[in-house]
Amino acid sequence: MKLEELPTIDNADPVNGRAKPDPRERGGVAPGTGSPAPKKRRVLVAIAAVLVLLAAAGAIWLLAGGAPDDFFDADAQSGQAPYKTQEEIQAELDRVVEEGMFNISIASLIEFADGTSPGTAYIENVPGNRYLMQVTISLDDTGEAVYESKAIKPGSYIENVALATDLEPSDYPATATFAALDPDSREEIGRAAAKVTLSVRG
């Protein structure tokens, strides 16, 4: 579907075994100064150095993926939707999606045991897509958004979705809107849509 424009210190005297004078102790002097050692300042400098090291380590941990990126949907699984045959999976892997095109995939009928139970939707960002995907499902009669995903990477899918609203038992015509997001800037670059039916039992 085409997109819309849009130090431990050794202090022992090796000769007599007595402890060497330590200028850091009370009454000591800093070497070459003849004045009391600035203990407090050294402690503050040491604390500052430790804080800098901790901040640097934290930044490296984040960049290395130590914390989850809240931009991406935690429910997304790697791979293709499990209902596909092996031939369909291989065909999708072999497909090359052209620049400016975006393949969308979702179940046309999503059934829920009741308004608070999850339903199987198989929202999929197929491997050949060049863009991240974010999906919103809205009721056609009111425009209310009853489901909204976070970003989904190509080659990933969301099997089950839960409604944001406890709907009464009925069938609800709805529209699933797929936003294509640039993988680098994460900005929306286009949209596509599909008609679906939300069937709430109960």
Side-chain angles (χ1 to χ4, degrees):
M1 182 171 291
K2 191 161 182 64
L3 297 171
E4 300 175 1
E5 296 291 334
L6 323 160
T8 299
I9 297 175
D10 186 357
N11 198 37
D13 187 324
V15 176
N16 55 33
R18 290 178 298 182
K20 299 175 182 178
D22 188 346
R24 294 173 299 176
E25 296 176 351
R26 184 182 303 275
V29 296
T33 66
S35 59
K39 288 183 61 179
K40 185 175 182 180
R41 183 175 180 181
R42 277 201 298 270
V43 170
L44 291 176
V45 170
I47 292 174
V50 170
L51 291 175
V52 169
L53 289 173
L54 288 174
I60 293 171
W61 180 69
L62 287 171
L63 291 173
D69 189 339
D70 193 51
F71 180 76
F72 293 98
D73 202 303
D75 292 329
Q77 306 176 58
S78 295
Q80 298 187 51
Y83 66 84
K84 294 180 178 179
T85 65
Q86 191 59 46
E87 291 75 14
E88 289 172 326
I89 291 174
Q90 189 59 51
E92 200 63 71
L93 289 172
D94 294 338
R95 188 196 321 212
V96 177
V97 180
E98 298 178 5
E99 188 76 33
M101 300 295 290
F102 190 56
N103 285 347
I104 63 177
S105 181
I106 189 172
S108 59
L109 175 64
I110 307 174
E111 297 182 298
F112 304 85
D114 54 53
T116 61
S117 299
T120 302
Y122 288 129
I123 298 171
E124 185 175 6
N125 192 349
V126 299
N129 277 335
R130 298 169 181 261
Y131 310 107
L132 304 176
M133 169 193 293
Q134 186 273 326
V135 182
T136 301
I137 301 176
S138 303
L139 301 179
D140 286 348
D141 59 347
T142 65
E144 178 187 3
V146 293
Y147 172 78
E148 185 172 355
S149 77
K150 293 184 180 180
I152 309 167
K153 298 177 182 179
S156 302
Y157 70 96
I158 295 176
E159 183 169 356
N160 298 314
V161 300
L163 299 173
T165 301
D166 185 357
L167 298 176
E168 294 296 324
S170 186
D171 289 341
Y172 297 86
T175 299
T177 302
F178 295 73
L181 311 176
D182 183 274
D184 296 320
S185 68
R186 299 182 176 182
E187 294 179 353
E188 182 177 323
I189 59 174
R191 290 188 173 197
K195 293 295 184 181
V196 298
T197 298
L198 308 181
S199 183
V200 180
R201 307 306 180 191

